[in-house]
Structures are given as C-alpha cells and as structure tokens.
Amino acid sequence: MKNELVLEHINKKFDDGSLILKDINLSLQQGTKLSVLGPSGSGKTTLLRLIAGLEIQDSGSILFNGQPMENIRPHKRNFGMMFQEFALFPHMNVFDNIAFGLKMKGKDKTEIDSRVKNMLSLTGLEGFETRQINELSGGERQRVALARTLAPNPGLLMLDEPLSSLDRVLRKRLLLELTNIISRLNITTIFVTHDHKEAFAAGNMVIVMNQGGIEQKGTPEELVQNPKNSWIKEFLGV
Ligand SMILES: Nc1ncnc2c1ncn2[C@@H]1O[C@H](COP(=O)(O)OP(=O)(O)OP(=O)(O)O)[C@@H](O)[C@H]1O
Ligand SMILES: [Mg+2]
C-alpha cells in the first residue's frame, strides 16, 4: 500500500538495560490519524524518535512505502515532526519560518513562494508573512509550526504532545484547530498524548501504551466500550 507505515517486532533498550519498547507491531494505511496514548515513561516519545530515525531499534524493522528505514538518515525519511514548544526560529518572520525546510531542500524561489502561500492559506495565516514570531499569539505560533512542518510535504506527520505547554482552555481550542486542519489532509498522522480526551479527539485509531508495550489498539469507541483489562479501565477512567 502506498505510504503505508509498518513496524514489525520493534524492541529498544537503553544502556541501563531496562526494556523501553517491547515487541511493537503496527501498520498504518495512508491517511490514518493515530493517537499514541499512555502515561509518562511508557515509551511514546521513544517510539516517535525511532520512526523519525533519531534512535535506532535493537531489533525489528520499520518500513515506509515498502522500504526499510534502517539505513535512511532522519532528514531523508521526509517525515515531519512537531514538538511541544513548537521550536520556531525567533529571529525569522512567519514566511521564513515556513520556508525554512524548503530552502534546506534547495527548492527554487518560485516553488518556495507558492508552497508557503498554500501553507498560509491552509492554516489561515494569510497576511502574516512578515510578522515576527514574538508578535503572534500561542494559537498563531502553533499554526506557523504546523505550516512549517507540512511545507516540505512530508509523507508522515508526528506530533509529540504539541499542546502540553498550554493552559487547559487554550489547549481545548487549539486541539480543535489542529485536528480540523489535519483532518482535511490525507497525511498519516501520529499524535502523542497522555490525555485520553485529546487522544480520542485527535485520532480515529488509538494505541494505549503501558511500560513500553501496546496494551490495546482500537477506535476511541472500542476502547471506551471494551477496555481490555482493569489497567486500561482505570487509565481511561471508564
Ligand atoms: N536516551 C535515553 N536513555 C535512557 N533511558 C531513556 C532515554 N530516553 C528515554 N528513556 C527512558 O525510556 C522510558 C520511556 O521514555 P519516553 O520518553 O519514551 O516516555 P514518554 O511516554 O514519552 O513519557 P512522557 O509522557 O513523560 O513524555 C523512560 O523510562 C525514560 O526514562
Ligand atoms: Mg514523551
């Protein structure tokens, strides 16, 4: 299948020998919106870092579009990753932030201009081109970060607790904005959170992680209606 992401028997240990990820198996068709839900320390970020190529698994394989990722360096994988603090460049304006990845890829000016314009329109930021980052609200910053991540047209979008630094009210609003934009795109998205409400709102498929393993996989409805064991029940508060 085109742009399918497959994880087969992924295991990862860190130096101290504690098993971090245990036999992770996962297959995502293009366009899937997956939420990775689990308590702190359950291995969510490590899983994303492995897919991104920032860590290498001890055993198992990761395939994208049928191609093993093992020997492909992170920037060559063409995956987009958005972090908690958005990590925008404070000394660049909105246009240059969004154009950054395209410039790094050596795209010409015409292509950069047209792609940035598309991203500004997708994220509702038309007219913000020359604004400085410190002149933006939290929500606008988030949209710039999303536009920047999507500009190089990644095959996969990963978000690691993108809202966790915000207060509760803003979080709710921005989650809605974020999922609205992403749901219009046919891009496979992995959204990491420890909040089950966020996970259910952001994903049509959810994996619940516990101590480095996938405890249960299902749609939000399946998880709520059929939690597999008492740990899941308690974690989801159902
Ligand atoms: N580079 C590392 N070296 C050693 N141990 C690590 C390393 N990175 C992560 N760990 C450990 O692996 C476990 C999983 O960490 P990870 O960051 O993947 O969890 P997480 O689910 O993202 O947690 P959180 O919700 O707090 O972000 C933790 O016990 C952590 O201490
Ligand atoms: Mg984490």
Side-chain angles (χ1 to χ4, degrees), residues 147-229:
R148 187 186 61 178
T149 309
L150 291 173
N153 200 18
L156 183 71
L157 174 65
M158 294 184 272
L159 306 118
D160 194 356
E161 310 233 15
L163 308 169
S164 62
S165 62
L166 309 168
D167 71 56
R168 205 169 49 84
V169 178
L170 192 59
R171 243 164 91 163
K172 215 170 154 183
R173 183 163 68 77
L174 294 198
L175 176 66
L176 207 67
E177 279 187 14
L178 196 62
T179 49
N180 267 337
I181 297 170
I182 292 169
S183 67
R184 283 185 261 137
L185 308 170
N186 187 28
I187 184 172
T188 305
T189 305
I190 307 181
F191 184 99
V192 165
T193 177
H194 57 262
D195 181 319
H196 65 270
K197 289 197 186 112
E198 274 184 15
F200 293 168
N204 47 26
M205 188 53 73
V206 181
I207 57 173
V208 186
M209 294 193 62
N210 183 21
Q211 297 182 352
I214 298 179
E215 194 83 27
Q216 188 169 356
K217 174 172 182 250
T219 63
E221 296 74 29
E222 283 164 352
L223 288 170
V224 172
Q225 280 158 19
N226 284 313
K228 201 173 117 187
N229 55 38

Side-chain angles (χ1 to χ4, degrees), residues 72-218:
I72 301 184
R73 299 180 70 76
H75 66 282
K76 293 277 183 199
R77 295 188 185 194
N78 192 30
F79 296 162
M81 195 139 162
M82 192 170 135
F83 299 95
Q84 191 177 325
E85 310 79 16
F86 309 147
L88 293 168
F89 304 115
H91 56 286
M92 291 183 198
N93 66 21
V94 167
F95 183 99
D96 290 333
N97 264 279
I98 299 174
F100 183 79
L102 299 166
K103 285 185 182 155
M104 293 300 282
K105 280 189 158 185
K107 302 289 180 198
D108 63 44
K109 191 177 172 308
T110 323
E111 191 179 343
I112 293 177
D113 284 352
S114 115
R115 189 75 195 147
V116 172
K117 204 167 164 230
N118 281 343
M119 291 300 104
L120 290 164
S121 136
L122 174 76
T123 53
L125 286 169
E126 295 106 330
F128 281 73
E129 290 83 339
T130 58
R131 285 269 201 111
Q132 295 300 311
I133 299 305
N134 63 11
E135 299 166 349
L136 300 174
S137 73
E140 289 158 356
R141 280 178 211 204
Q142 182 196 43
R143 282 185 274 148
V144 175
L146 183 64
R148 187 186 61 178
T149 309
L150 291 173
N153 200 18
L156 183 71
L157 174 65
M158 294 184 272
L159 306 118
D160 194 356
E161 310 233 15
L163 308 169
S164 62
S165 62
L166 309 168
D167 71 56
R168 205 169 49 84
V169 178
L170 192 59
R171 243 164 91 163
K172 215 170 154 183
R173 183 163 68 77
L174 294 198
L175 176 66
L176 207 67
E177 279 187 14
L178 196 62
T179 49
N180 267 337
I181 297 170
I182 292 169
S183 67
R184 283 185 261 137
L185 308 170
N186 187 28
I187 184 172
T188 305
T189 305
I190 307 181
F191 184 99
V192 165
T193 177
H194 57 262
D195 181 319
H196 65 270
K197 289 197 186 112
E198 274 184 15
F200 293 168
N204 47 26
M205 188 53 73
V206 181
I207 57 173
V208 186
M209 294 193 62
N210 183 21
Q211 297 182 352
I214 298 179
E215 194 83 27
Q216 188 169 356
K217 174 172 182 250

